[in-house]
Amino acid sequence: MYSKDEIVVCKKSKLEIQNIFNQGIIDRDDLKILKHPRRILCANYPIIKDNGEQEIITAFRVLYNNNLGPGKGGIRFHPSVDLDEVSELAFIMSLKTALVDLPFGGAKGGIRIDPKEFSKTELEKISRGYVREFCKYFGPQIDVPAPDVNTTPEIMGWMIDEYNKITGENTKAFITGKTIENGGSEGRDKSTAMGGFYILQEEYKEIQDKLKLKVAIQGFGNAGSVMANLLQAEGYTVVAVSDSSTAIYNERGLDIEDVFNYVYGGDKKQRLIGYSNAKQISNEELLELDVDILVPAALGGVITIQNVKNIKAKNILELANGPITVEAEHVLEEKNIQVIPDLLANAGGVIVSYFEWDQNLKEEHWSLEDVNNKLKDRIITAYKKVLEVAGKESLSLRKAAYKIAIQKINKK
Ligand code: GLU
């Protein structure tokens, strides 16, 4: 569809890859294979809105690399979705699946909409339309989508139904992140946070009194809210959480159960701006708090060259994809702030997606305990490997993770 010269995508990743090539961490062949996405799909398709008007929906799917197996990666619904972002995220997925040793390549999809502006019926039409547009490029052995920002098990359900209608198949392994009734896996809903949580538990295993560890979490959606609950249950002090409306703060620790009930307890999800049991601060202030662990769990590009000088956290766990810009990361390195990179920190989601796909193909259903044990095993193995390479070669955790993943993709 596009020639490799016509289209410029992944400016950020290319910069990073070029940097690590310049430092001799990877060789020229590694560089070549990851310079361009394997396949880019773009569609503008119409849906009829509830008021009878027609709306054109812009959507993308990028398969970045499939050396290790079918493409794998979520589909996000967000107004800022564009080809560059989707390609960037597909690139990260390629590294992520390789790093945690899954038989998958990397892909990502996106629809440029603000889901809050559409009714449920309209969202269903948008989701089904997406599958119709790209159907022949999906399949359990070709490219397997999943949820991402603003997409849910219910949306996965509409998509699989459409896929099976069009293809006449009855496969469950076309998509992951489904409800349990639809063939989903136990533990998939909490898996992104759970993976990051296992890493933190391993990192701080020497610290008996977790109350001493102060945590700030940016984002209170699927990943951020589950992480807040898990950490508080283990005794960590979660001092701040946020959503797009505001951040809330209590230096002695928030009552996460109360916050969770406020946001998710009613018929409709509530915004934190209406929560009155804690002090309100801005999202910017949350990022700059003096905490032991900062968890960006919302969107990309939130720690930038503008605010990085004010970051005081000792450790940053990237539960979101791409929350730190390349320039900001250099400054964090100079300031000796550790970053546990996205391709490791949030790999729990795709790991359990793999379990779901595997269970679907084998027509099995594993217990929650089984899923969580397998998840812990796989993510901690990857974490230890990253620590080992980083230690041996004096690399940041991200560079070490990149090196391991890229070498695996190139089957070295
Ligand atoms: N969207 C998640 C991610 O960025 C999960 C992808 C998947 O399960 O395929 O890792």
Side-chain angles (χ1 to χ4, degrees), residues 120-399:
K120 197 165 159 178
T121 336
E122 291 165 344
L123 286 174
E124 180 169 349
K125 286 183 187 168
I126 292 170
S127 307
R128 288 181 183 275
Y130 185 86
V131 176
R132 280 199 297 278
E133 290 303 313
F134 302 140
C135 182
K136 67 175 186 222
Y137 299 99
F138 286 133
Q141 303 301 338
I142 305 169
D143 183 1
V144 185
D148 197 78
V149 174
N150 290 329
T151 45
T152 58
E154 185 178 32
I155 294 176
M156 301 303 108
W158 296 329
M159 289 187 169
I160 193 164
D161 185 59
E162 192 65 26
Y163 181 82
N164 284 337
K165 255 191 208 153
I166 300 168
T167 58
E169 289 174 31
N170 186 16
T171 175
K172 289 185 172 142
F174 146 71
I175 205 163
T176 59
K178 304 176 290 286
T179 57
I180 304 282
E181 303 74 59
N182 245 337
S185 175
E186 301 293 339
R188 175 62 184 86
D189 50 349
K190 299 200 165 97
S191 56
T192 305
M194 195 59 107
F197 170 73
Y198 286 140
I199 293 175
L200 290 180
Q201 283 287 85
E202 178 68 22
E203 176 164 2
Y204 295 102
K205 66 175 179 223
E206 308 301 339
I207 300 187
Q208 297 303 328
D209 181 11
K210 299 280 196 294
L211 269 181
K212 279 192 262 177
L213 294 169
K214 287 192 177 176
V215 191
I217 302 177
Q218 192 201 30
F220 205 65
N222 180 265
S225 68
V226 175
M227 182 58 122
N229 275 317
L230 289 169
L231 289 175
Q232 186 148 77
E234 265 318 295
Y236 294 72
T237 304
V238 181
V239 293
V241 299
S242 71
D243 63 12
S244 58
S245 72
T246 192
I248 53 171
Y249 173 66
N250 182 338
E251 68 172 329
R252 291 189 311 280
L254 295 162
D255 179 348
I256 294 299
E257 210 182 310
D258 189 56
V259 180
F260 191 86
N261 285 340
Y262 175 77
V263 175
Y264 292 103
D267 294 341
K268 214 172 148 252
K269 187 176 163 194
Q270 295 300 316
R271 285 150 67 85
L272 287 171
I273 190 94
Y275 183 77
S276 51
N277 297 343
K279 188 175 153 195
Q280 309 253 345
I281 58 172
S282 69
N283 258 287
E284 272 302 306
E285 287 171 307
L286 177 147
L287 292 172
E288 297 171 7
L289 287 171
D290 188 359
V291 288
D292 298 280
I293 308 161
L294 172 64
V295 184
L299 288 171
V302 293
I303 299 179
T304 64
I305 201 69
Q306 271 80 39
N307 63 4
V308 67
K309 55 183 180 307
N310 303 326
I311 301 290
K312 297 173 206 67
K314 296 182 187 59
N315 189 10
I316 303 178
L317 179 95
E318 290 189 321
L319 213 50
N321 284 309
I324 303 174
T325 66
V326 180
E327 301 79 15
E329 180 133 357
H330 291 155
V331 180
L332 292 174
E333 262 184 66
E334 278 160 21
K335 288 172 74 168
N336 256 325
I337 296 176
Q338 173 176 274
V339 175
I340 306 179
D342 47 11
L343 64 156
L344 175 65
N346 69 28
V350 75
I351 291 175
V352 179
S353 271
Y354 163 61
F355 298 155
E356 181 174 332
W357 178 81
D358 199 27
Q359 290 170 80
N360 291 159
L361 293 177
K362 293 177 176 152
E363 298 194 17
E364 291 176 359
H365 189 80
W366 307 345
S367 70
L368 179 60
E369 200 190 346
D370 203 10
V371 168
N372 280 341
N373 285 338
K374 287 187 163 106
L375 163 61
K376 185 171 176 187
D377 223 46
R378 197 173 276 265
I379 205 153
I380 295 302
T381 306
Y383 172 60
K384 287 185 175 160
K385 177 91 189 146
V386 170
L387 285 183
E388 184 195 315
V389 172
K392 252 193 216 148
E393 305 185 26
S394 303
L395 298 173
S396 69
L397 298 186
R398 188 185 314 277
K399 283 183 187 143

Side-chain angles (χ1 to χ4, degrees), residues 40-64:
I40 289 172
L41 303 170
C42 171
N44 295 291
Y45 57 92
I47 60 139
I48 306 291
K49 293 183 65 175
D50 296 347
N51 63 7
E53 270 175 34
Q54 188 157 277
E55 176 103 13
I56 301 298
I57 305 296
T58 299
F60 305 94
R61 181 73 183 174
V62 174
L63 171 70
Y64 205 95

